[in-house]
Amino acid sequence: MKFINAVFAIFWKDFLGERRTHEILAAMLVFTLIVILIFVFAFNLSVETRRSAATGVIWVTLCFADRAMKYTKCSMTPMLFQTQSQECKAWNR
Amino acid sequence: MIKVDHLSKTFGHRRVLQSLELSVGRGEIVALIGMNGAGKTTLVRTLATLSRPDAGSVHINGVSTTRDPITVRRNIGVVLHAPMLYPNLTCKENLRFYSRLYALDAVEKRISALLAAVDLESRTGDRVSTFSRGMQQRLSIARAMLHDPQCLLLDEVFTGLDQGSSALLDDLLKQKAKEGNAILFTTHEIERIFNVASRVDILHRGKIIFSSPVNSISPQQLFERYQEFTSESAIAIAPSRGAI
């Protein structure tokens, strides 16, 4: 229960911040446009090509989305306060 | 309360802390001074379980920071250089968030009392991004005290505070010490040490090279001692300006 409460607190904090700044939403929109643009230029849009390249496109997009979100997301909850969740083994140094 | 035994910490080839020994008892306020790069922040981060010691041990309330960091974190309040506040949340929302992480009871009452203590009652609904550095610092202090920790670790906590806020913090720390908490703070301000601390330690090149009760040394003597130990590289500012 404590763990769920902590998760909800983090979600609510991120949600409030996002509702006020639209920081992540804006980054997502820009990223989506860039991805579409790059792949439109990169591939011939025939049905056959689309089918064979779709899986790769999705995976590449997911990988870069992860990187992109790391730079925009303000999820900076320091491990100092992760008292309710499982032990954090990520020592800084 | 805080017990440090032979603590060593190395970054690459650089030894930041060298077999450091330190203890802070119940109700004691210890001021730690030292030049930039002496190891003050590294020591505080290690005590706060944010950095793992290379050798030696740190115990807070008898609990090892390496064996049971979660229990230790429940018993410490930490203020570091970064305020650890969310700029897009209001003053109250920030404290509510941390209250939930600590699973605290009577949250609103605690928050109101703390905001009154740090003189931020009138700004409870304002976003932290609109706060000055000093106000953020005061809110950080409230955040650190939210869960009634038994040990307070404060790294240059007086930085950015005006005279009034500093005096407010002095009173708050003295009150916490009276309640039996152990407090360790780092500073460059001699005036603050003599206002609030019960003991002063000088950290130089990763070692405590001088330790004295505050009531048995004068500001001038402390300044001279500091210069004597750190003369080869210290940038001396007259003690009358209240800073070293």
Side-chain angles (χ1 to χ4, degrees), chain A residues 20-31:
Chain A
R20 285 169 190 166
T21 61
H22 305 298
E23 203 177 56
I24 298 171
L25 195 70
M28 276 167 62
L29 278 174
V30 172
F31 179 73

Side-chain angles (χ1 to χ4, degrees), chain B residues 62-184:
Chain B
V63 182
S64 165
T65 56
T66 46
R67 285 193 190 147
D68 192 359
I70 291 179
T71 306
V72 169
R73 286 172 202 157
R74 285 180 205 275
N75 290 323
I76 57 172
V78 183
V79 177
L80 298 173
H81 292 286
M84 291 193 236
L85 298 167
Y86 294 93
N88 297 320
L89 301 189
T90 65
C91 194
K92 221 169 190 176
E93 284 165 352
N94 265 284
L95 294 184
R96 263 190 216 130
F97 169 66
Y98 284 110
S99 304
R100 278 186 180 171
L101 291 192
Y102 282 118
L104 300 177
D105 300 325
V107 172
E108 294 304 318
K109 203 176 159 188
R110 271 173 200 263
I111 291 175
S112 300
L114 275 169
L115 289 178
V118 296
D119 196 21
L120 280 174
E121 271 174 314
S122 57
R123 302 292 299 268
T124 50
D126 293 351
R127 282 192 214 179
V128 170
S129 57
T130 65
F131 282 14
S132 68
R133 168 87 174 99
M135 289 164 77
Q136 289 190 19
Q137 190 76 335
R138 277 188 275 155
L139 187 56
S140 284
I141 293 159
R143 190 257 304 138
M145 292 177 178
L146 192 62
H147 57 300
D148 282 330
Q150 290 163 312
C151 297
L152 283 171
L153 307 168
L154 313 169
D155 192 15
E156 295 187 21
V157 73
F158 292 99
T159 308
L161 296 184
D162 57 32
Q163 289 297 316
S165 305
S166 295
L168 201 77
L169 180 58
D170 286 351
D171 294 340
L172 204 58
L173 294 184
K174 282 176 193 167
Q175 188 195 323
K176 286 283 166 192
K178 261 185 194 168
E179 290 168 11
N181 298 314
I183 300 168
L184 176 75

Side-chain angles (χ1 to χ4, degrees), chain A residues 2 5-10 12-14 16-18 20-21 23 74-88 91-93, chain B residues 9 11 45 48-53 65-67 69-70 73-74 76 78 84-90 93 97-98 100-103 127 143:
Chain A
K2 282 179 181 175
N5 280 340
V7 170
F8 182 74
I10 293 168
W12 187 246
K13 176 263 298 174
D14 283 342
L16 276 182
E18 180 55 22
R20 285 169 190 166
T21 61
E23 203 177 56
C74 57
S75 182
M76 57 171 193
T77 309
M79 66 177 188
L80 188 64
F81 302 102
Q82 294 176 343
T83 54
Q84 306 306 325
S85 56
Q86 61 176 356
E87 181 173 347
C88 182
W91 292 95
N92 280 14
R93 293 179 194 182
Chain B
K9 179 76 188 170
F11 293 131
R45 286 179 59 85
T49 76
L50 293 171
S51 190
R52 183 187 273 278
T65 56
T66 46
R67 285 193 190 147
I70 291 179
R73 286 172 202 157
R74 285 180 205 275
I76 57 172
V78 183
M84 291 193 236
L85 298 167
Y86 294 93
N88 297 320
L89 301 189
T90 65
E93 284 165 352
F97 169 66
Y98 284 110
R100 278 186 180 171
L101 291 192
Y102 282 118
R127 282 192 214 179
R143 190 257 304 138

